[in-house]
DNA sequence: TGGCTGTACTG
DNA sequence: CAGTACA
DNA sequence: GCCA
């Protein structure tokens, strides 16, 4: 869940200092300002992998730089802005759909066609027929609003990445004009490629023109796709048609390669005899990623620092493919699964989260009815046994949650949450300064519940918006996903279908643009903007790579640029960290959700082992399990012990625990281990002993001394959105919340930067933390935002 | 116009 | 330090 | 993306 990088988008924004003309996107202009004005020449040009640093000189003369790369005389600036999305107002489209074909599917866009009728062309010098603008509406709009600027739609523009030309002698693409199909640079990967080509001297034609020397097509496109896209019967002889590998290889080999090699050809394309083509060095070994089967992977020494070889470390066992079908992660993250409550299992487990009444940690009420479990584990008796056994104690850790509630102070919010809801202020005995912000607006004030998601009348809309958020995350956009998530949170709280934009825009966190999308979704059951991405192979590969533990957007993007397309490619040719290699070896395992019963079984082992080390240790399963999820992505175990007040009192115990669990075969590899005395976490992998075939699971241990237990529980229970929300709320109240406690009197500098630690307000009691913040207490299952 | 959580490990 | 991870 |  929430694997996010907060800074990249900012970086990309910063990168694009070279905006053309007036630009209606406020955020952009702000970042531009930041670069061009507040940034003195050298200062912080964000370091980054993609070394497209902002050249100060360039800031001074952006126009110059740009025209440098535009040798064609007639195009004042072929590299003007590309719009992200066809600028057709939703309403227009809907209307059109109604009058024309009901669903107007064909009116849909051609990919991300740049309609960009940017004023620049005023000279009319461009011989462009805008054949690439297929939709009547688009043309229409273009005609009517040549300098259309965001009227109803708001900001849509993408800004120009900065181009840093390589030294002249290396500009192998000098005098070449590339036309890309599709002609956009929305995905960072494509953008980076285009930028790269331009750095090597290419001119980027953003609209189709016969002055282009090359057409660079996405490699999944066929020749027919190109001609139909360009609305021409054949590609003119003088234009070279190649796929996207071509420029990459040229750059790699610092030469213009023979474009007629088969790895560069499009499906259905016979290079016309113009193959005399360019001088070519022998044979570029094509992209660095040929694919071979590589049986070697099993032979490869285990990546984990432990030399342990699991019973069967089946990297990709296809045999029991039953539960792990697709190599790709599911789009929707069903963290807190919504599923068949008719499952007895579900019923049984569903309750433990909050249930387990006032059990002190120890023994507990038995939850019977293992019948459902049978089905899960049918194949394996041992597993069955273990799970049955686990059922008897499965509530074990969970009670603490109640535990710390009842006995401790705050008697009034213990049982009756209604009271809490009524007047949050009353419980804040001291302080109680009224917020000058709208506290109700925080999603942590009113969490959701698990089943709400499936029953919500807006479920369809929500799931599509979630896909959008995920898409933008993959596109390395930091902030849009946040916007989408907030809108989704709002939508989840509606108990009736929101069908019009007008209605939607009144809701909190829903602005005009998302409102329009909501309307489109409700009326057409889909979002064209999203459909476009579905067929994007690069996006699919990106998803594949991002599914690897230890791989984030940066690495995934880099690999994609380097031409890798499969996990095998990576194993064979990419340089991988140990964790990444392990992540690939167990890709399917980690992608497979863990049934609640198995989490229980694993937790029992941990708890039993821990108690063998020290009777006082409590093992509490947090994470989505504590929130009542029917299946979990990983196992989060909080380790604590009454009377402790520092992690250092627990680390030796953790050390012993890990070593025993390792010896018993449950833990199979470490991934990330605390470095210091006071550090508090251990991340690694485990398998349920006896499981056949064994499935590696991600397991995390967190240490929490009793004095920090409440904050740790809060943190470790999540969900992530709830955490962010409540932390933001704390920060707005001049406090700071982290996994150790709630602090007040935090001094913050510019940008809320923390200046001091603050004074501890509460750490031990989860409910008191809620109370201090004026947030109504809610049980873990309701912290699904 | 500048926010959008806060921390910890890896290499 | 940037990247990734954790909720 | 949205919001103050």
């Amino acid at each position: 869940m929430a694997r996010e990088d907060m800074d990249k988008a900012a970086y990309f924004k910063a990168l694009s200092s070279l905006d053309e003309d007036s630009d209606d996107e406020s955020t952009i202009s702000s970042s531009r300002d930041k670069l061009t004005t507040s940034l003195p020449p050298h200062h912080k040009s964000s370091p980054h992998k993609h070394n497209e640093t902002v050249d100060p000189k360039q800031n001074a003369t952006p126009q110059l730089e740009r025209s440098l790369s535009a040798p064609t005389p007639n195009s004042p600036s072929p590299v003007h802005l590309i719009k992200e999305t066809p600028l057709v107002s939703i309403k227009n489209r809907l209307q059109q759909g109604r009058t024309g074909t009901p669903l107007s599917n064909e009116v849909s866009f051609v990919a991300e066609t740049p309609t960009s009728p940017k004023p620049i062309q005023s000279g009319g010098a461009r011989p462009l027929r805008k054949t690439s603008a297929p939709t009547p509406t688009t043309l229409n709009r273009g005609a009517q609003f040549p300098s259309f600027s965001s009227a109803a739609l708001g900001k849509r523009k993408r800004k120009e990445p900065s181009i840093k030309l390589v030294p002249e002698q290396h500009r192998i693409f000098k005098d070449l004009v590339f036309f890309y199909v599709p002609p956009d640079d929305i995905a960072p990967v494509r953008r980076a490629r285009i930028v790269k080509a331009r750095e090597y001297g290419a001119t980027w034609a953003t609209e189709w023109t016969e002055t282009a020397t090359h057409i660079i097509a996405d490699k999944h496109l066929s020749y027919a796709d190109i001609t139909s896209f360009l609305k021409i019967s054949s590609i003119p002889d003088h234009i070279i048609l190649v796929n996207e590998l071509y420029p990459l290889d040229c750059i790699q080999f610092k030469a213009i390669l023979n474009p007629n090699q088969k790895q560069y050809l499009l499906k259905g394309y016979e290079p016309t005899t113009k193959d005399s083509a360019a001088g070519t060095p022998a044979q570029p070994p094509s992209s660095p990623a040929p694919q071979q089967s590589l049986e070697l992977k099993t032979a490869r020494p285990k990546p984990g620092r432990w030399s342990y070889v699991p019973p069967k470390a089946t990297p990709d066992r296809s045999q029991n493919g039953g539960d792990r079908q697709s190599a790709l992660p599911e789009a929707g993250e069903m963290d807190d699964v919504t599923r068949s409550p008719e499952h007895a299992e579900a019923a049984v487990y569903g309750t433990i989260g909050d249930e387990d009444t006032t059990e002190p940690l120890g023994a507990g009420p038995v939850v019977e009815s293992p019948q459902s479990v049978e089905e899960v584990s049918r194949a394996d008796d041992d597993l069955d046994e273990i799970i049955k056994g686990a059922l008897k104690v499965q509530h074990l850790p969970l009670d603490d949650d109640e535990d710390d509630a009842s006995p401790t102070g705050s008697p009034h919010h213990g049982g009756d949450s209604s009271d809490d809801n009524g007047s949050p202020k009353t419980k804040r005995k001291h302080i109680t300064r009224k917020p000058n912000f709208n506290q109700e607006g925080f999603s942590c004030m009113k969490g959701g519940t698990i089943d709400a998601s499936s029953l919500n009348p807006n479920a369809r809309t929500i799931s599509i918006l979630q896909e959008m958020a995920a898409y933008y995350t993959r596109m390395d956009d930091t902030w849009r996903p946040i916007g989408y998530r907030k809108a989704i949170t709002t939508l989840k709280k509606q108990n009736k279908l929101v069908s019009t934009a007008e209605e939607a825009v009144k809701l909190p966190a829903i602005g005009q643009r998302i409102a329009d999308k909501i309307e489109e979704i409700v009326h057409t059951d889909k979002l064209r903007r999203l459909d476009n991405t579905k067929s994007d192979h690069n996006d699919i590969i990106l998803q594949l790579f991002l599914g690897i533990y230890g791989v984030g957007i940066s690495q995934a993007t880099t690999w994609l640029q380097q031409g890798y397309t499969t996990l095998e490619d990576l194993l064979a040719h990419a340089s991988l960290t140990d964790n990444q290699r392990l992540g690939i070896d167990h890709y399917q395992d980690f992608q497979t959700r863990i049934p609640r019963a198995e989490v229980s079984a694993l937790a029992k082992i941990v708890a039993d082992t821990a108690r063998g080390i020290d009777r006082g240790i409590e093992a509490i399963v947090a994470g989505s399990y504590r929130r009542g999820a029917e299946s979990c992505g990983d196992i989060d175990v909080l380790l604590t012990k009454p009377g402790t007040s520092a992690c250092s009192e627990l680390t030796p115990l953790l050390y012993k625990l890990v070593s025993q669990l390792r010896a018993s075969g449950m833990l199979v590899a470490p991934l990330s281990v605390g470095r210091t005395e006071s550090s508090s976490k251990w991340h690694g992998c485990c398998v349920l002993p006896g499981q056949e075939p064994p499935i590696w699971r991600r397991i995390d241990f967190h240490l929490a001394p009793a004095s920090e237990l409440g904050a740790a529980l809060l943190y470790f229970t999540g969900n992530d959105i709830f955490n962010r929300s409540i932390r933001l709320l704390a920060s707005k109240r001049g406090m700071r919340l982290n996994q150790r406690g709630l602090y007040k009197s935090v001094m913050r500098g510019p940008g809320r930067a923390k200046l001091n630690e603050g004074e501890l307000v509460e750490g031990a009691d989860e409910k008191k933390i809620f109370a201090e913040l004026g947030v109504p207490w809610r049980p873990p299952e309701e912290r699904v935002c």
Side-chain angles (χ1 to χ4, degrees):
Chain A
M1 359 249 144
R3 94 173 23 165
E4 256 174 295
D5 327 24
M6 301 314 265
D7 290 324
K8 298 198 179 107
Y11 165 71
F12 274 105
K13 279 182 183 167
L15 255 193
S16 12
S17 57
L18 300 183
D19 266 347
E20 302 253 348
D21 61 31
S22 70
D23 145 337
D24 44 356
E25 173 147 10
S26 54
T27 59
I28 285 174
S29 48
S30 70
S31 61
R32 175 183 53 203
D33 289 349
K34 207 181 268 169
L35 271 173
T36 54
T37 64
S38 74
L39 262 197
H42 258 68
H43 187 167
K44 102 180 241 174
S45 53
S46 328
H48 197 281
K49 249 199 189 139
H50 327 267
N51 45 10
E52 312 152 342
T53 46
V54 177
D55 183 350
K57 188 178 48 184
Q58 203 173 350
N59 283 332
T61 57
Q63 280 306 340
L64 179 59
E65 288 294 72
R66 246 180 316 207
S67 51
L68 262 186
S69 62
T72 34
N74 55 351
S75 59
S77 170
V79 288
H80 56 250
L81 293 184
I82 295 296
K83 297 233 172 29
E84 168 178 318
T85 307
L87 300 174
V88 182
S89 94
I90 303 285
K91 287 192 173 155
N92 278 353
R93 281 182 263 145
L94 289 175
Q95 205 169 352
Q96 198 182 48
R98 286 190 208 105
T99 56
T101 35
L103 259 198
S104 73
N105 279 344
E106 35 269 273
V107 189
S108 68
F109 314 130
V110 169
E112 308 279 345
T113 308
T115 49
S116 74
K118 283 314 268 186
I120 315 171
Q121 312 181 21
S122 54
R126 289 163 71 90
L128 309 179
R129 22 190 190 186
K130 282 200 37 141
T131 48
S132 58
T135 64
T137 33
T138 305
L139 287 175
N140 225 353
R141 173 176 292 289
Q144 285 176 340
F145 307 106
S147 57
F148 172 71
S149 99
S150 87
L153 292 179
K155 17 211 169 156
R156 287 291 181 99
K157 264 181 275 178
R158 213 156 247 283
K159 40 276 124 128
E160 189 78 345
S162 50
I163 303 296
K164 184 179 179 182
L165 287 168
V166 299
E168 187 155 18
Q169 68 274 24
H170 293 140
R171 286 180 211 157
I172 53 176
F173 296 148
K174 183 169 175 308
D175 294 332
L176 300 184
V177 180
F178 288 179
F179 176 72
Y180 284 80
V181 180
D184 67 69
D185 64 342
I186 290 164
V189 174
R190 291 197 96 231
R191 186 155 68 239
R193 288 181 178 179
I194 294 173
V195 165
K196 206 77 182 158
R198 293 171 62 195
E199 288 173 344
Y200 281 82
T203 297
W204 178 28
T206 56
E207 300 185 52
W208 168 237
T209 159
E210 296 205 355
T211 62
T213 60
H214 291 70
I215 295 172
I216 315 291
D218 261 11
K219 63 174 177 291
H220 63 278
L221 296 174
S222 68
Y223 181 67
D225 291 330
I226 304 301
T227 51
S228 87
F229 176 76
L230 297 176
K231 299 231 168 74
I232 55 179
S233 57
S234 69
I235 307 285
D237 274 356
H238 65 279
I239 298 184
I240 296 169
L241 174 61
V242 287
N243 67 28
E244 63 211 341
L245 292 176
Y246 179 73
L248 297 176
D249 284 351
C250 290
I251 290 171
Q252 187 177 345
F253 291 91
K254 301 241 191 309
I256 298 299
L257 306 176
N258 177 355
N260 291 336
Q261 298 179 86
K262 81 174 180 330
Q263 66 266 38
Y264 306 134
L265 299 184
L266 271 65
K267 235 181 325 166
Y269 180 56
E270 274 297 295
T272 48
T273 45
K274 62 192 170 193
D275 45 5
S276 55
T280 43
Q283 255 325 23
S286 73
S287 65
Q291 54 318 345
Q292 282 92 347
S293 45
L294 354 165
E295 311 307 333
L296 45 165
K297 58 192 164 196
T298 38
R300 191 186 314 284
K302 276 303 156 197
R305 284 141 288 229
W306 294 352
S307 50
Y308 175 84
V309 178
K312 249 171 243 164
T314 55
D316 47 17
R317 55 194 99 110
S318 37
Q319 0 97 262
N320 87 334
D323 45 347
R324 40 182 81 178
Q325 335 72 333
S326 77
L328 284 182
E330 287 283 319
E333 32 208 81
M334 306 295 292
D335 176 357
D336 296 279
V337 211
T338 64
R339 29 152 303 197
S340 46
E342 71 269 25
H343 260 44
E345 182 207 3
V348 169
Y349 290 104
T351 58
I352 44 182
D354 44 338
E355 210 46 16
D356 53 7
T357 58
T358 43
E359 246 60 43
L361 33 148
V366 174
V367 191
E368 54 331 311
S369 137
Q371 57 151 174
S372 61
V373 176
E374 236 160 22
E375 189 167 320
V376 176
S377 54
R378 158 102 22 170
D380 186 317
D381 292 34
D382 292 335
L383 176 58
D384 209 34
E385 286 303 311
I386 290 170
I387 290 177
K388 279 180 185 165
L391 286 175
K392 302 184 181 154
V393 282
Q394 54 168 215
H395 70 290
L396 69 166
L398 301 168
D399 16 17
D400 290 81
D401 157 31
E402 287 302 316
D403 195 20
D404 53 25
S406 37
T408 53
S410 54
H412 51 295
H413 18 273
D416 47 354
S417 54
S418 56
D419 166 79
D420 289 347
N421 282 328
S423 53
K425 271 178 214 158
T426 57
K427 26 179 188 248
R428 279 177 279 113
K429 23 219 168 217
H430 40 230
I431 311 182
T432 314
R433 46 196 177 295
K434 58 174 180 263
N436 60 348
F437 56 92
N438 178 15
Q439 179 150 349
E440 302 307 315
F442 285 75
S443 47
C444 61
M445 294 294 287
K446 181 179 186 302
T449 52
I450 293 174
D451 49 27
S453 53
S454 54
L455 303 178
N456 192 300
N458 295 294
R460 172 68 180 167
T461 311
I462 289 169
S463 94
I464 290 188
L465 292 181
Q466 266 162 349
E467 287 185 62
M468 285 297 291
Y471 170 74
Y472 280 120
T473 301
R474 291 195 298 277
M475 291 304 101
D476 213 357
D477 183 324
T478 311
W479 305 115
R480 248 175 288 224
I482 288 177
Y484 275 90
R485 268 207 318 267
K486 287 178 178 167
I488 288 165
T489 301
T490 297
L491 223 41
K492 279 184 179 169
K493 286 189 277 205
Q494 308 307 310
N495 40 26
K496 115 177 213 307
L497 179 68
V498 178
S499 58
T500 68
E502 190 188 4
E503 184 182 355
V505 78
K506 293 178 191 157
L507 300 170
I510 296 183
Q512 189 59 53
R513 282 171 291 184
I514 286 187
D516 286 344
K517 290 188 173 70
I518 289 173
E519 185 169 303
E520 182 186 348
I521 292 166
V522 172
H523 286 76
T524 69
D525 202 41
K526 61 204 209 55
L527 237 195
R528 273 163 284 193
R529 180 70 184 76
L530 190 58
D531 288 348
N532 292 336
T533 72
K534 293 272 175 70
S535 54
D536 181 343
H537 288 207
N538 281 344
D539 186 52
I540 290 171
I541 296 169
L542 203 53
Q543 292 188 60
L544 175 72
F545 290 172
L546 286 171
I548 303 170
Y549 180 91
V551 176
I553 187 68
S554 176
Q555 186 59 260
T557 304
T558 302
W559 283 337
L560 194 48
Q561 279 176 55
Q562 291 170 345
Y564 299 114
T565 59
T566 66
L567 299 183
E568 285 74 23
D569 286 349
L570 299 178
L571 281 174
H573 303 106
S575 78
L576 302 167
T577 67
D578 288 348
N579 284 352
Q580 287 164 350
R581 189 174 299 284
L582 187 148
I584 294 177
D585 284 345
H586 297 280
Y587 192 92
Q588 285 305 322
D589 285 354
F590 293 160
Q591 212 67 51
T592 306
R593 297 194 61 87
I594 314 170
R596 191 174 175 87
E598 188 178 328
V599 178
S600 304
L602 288 162
K604 170 173 166 43
I605 297 173
V606 173
D608 288 349
T609 308
R611 266 197 289 269
I613 294 169
D614 184 322
R615 291 297 302 174
I617 298 186
E618 297 168 39
I620 304 169
V621 185
S624 54
Y625 182 94
R626 185 166 182 250
R627 295 196 304 267
E630 279 309 316
S631 73
C632 308
D634 64 3
I635 305 138
D636 306 307
V637 185
L638 195 48
L639 298 170
T640 187
K641 177 181 170 182
T644 50
S645 61
C647 274
S648 53
E649 299 174 57
L650 294 165
T651 39
L653 302 177
L654 174 65
Y655 181 80
K656 279 188 204 155
L657 178 65
V658 167
S659 119
Q660 288 189 17
L661 289 173
R662 177 191 167 189
S664 75
M666 187 191 123
L667 291 182
V668 292
L671 288 169
S672 162
V673 180
R675 325 160 125 155
T676 73
E677 271 284 301
S678 59
S679 67
S680 55
K681 65 181 213 177
W682 190 92
H683 293 175
C685 309
C686 66
V687 295
L688 185 59
Q691 190 178 49
E692 193 54 46
I695 306 179
W696 282 36
R697 308 297 196 181
R698 285 278 299 101
I699 187 167
D700 299 339
F701 296 122
H702 278 235
L703 300 183
S707 59
E708 298 172 1
L709 181 57
L713 267 174
L714 188 49
Y715 157 69
F716 218 26
T717 299
N719 65 8
D720 60 336
I721 298 180
F722 183 88
N723 284 352
R724 292 165 75 137
S725 172
I726 198 168
R727 286 177 178 205
L728 179 60
L729 174 53
S731 137
K732 288 277 174 22
R733 302 188 69 103
M735 296 191 271
R736 175 171 66 107
L737 177 61
N738 62 22
Q739 52 269 57
R740 314 249 301 275
L742 177 66
Y743 300 80
K744 69 174 178 184
S745 310
V746 177
M747 316 233 307
R748 301 195 117 103
R752 287 177 50 263
K754 182 183 60 175
L755 294 181
N756 68 355
E757 290 298 299
E759 171 195 348
L760 179 64
V761 174
E762 178 61 53
D765 187 317
E766 199 179 25
K767 285 185 170 155
K768 282 183 184 169
I769 295 174
F770 277 79
E772 291 295 340
L773 287 169
V775 175
W777 161 262
R778 64 190 65 269
E781 316 81 70
E782 292 175 23
R783 300 181 199 165
V784 182
C785 293

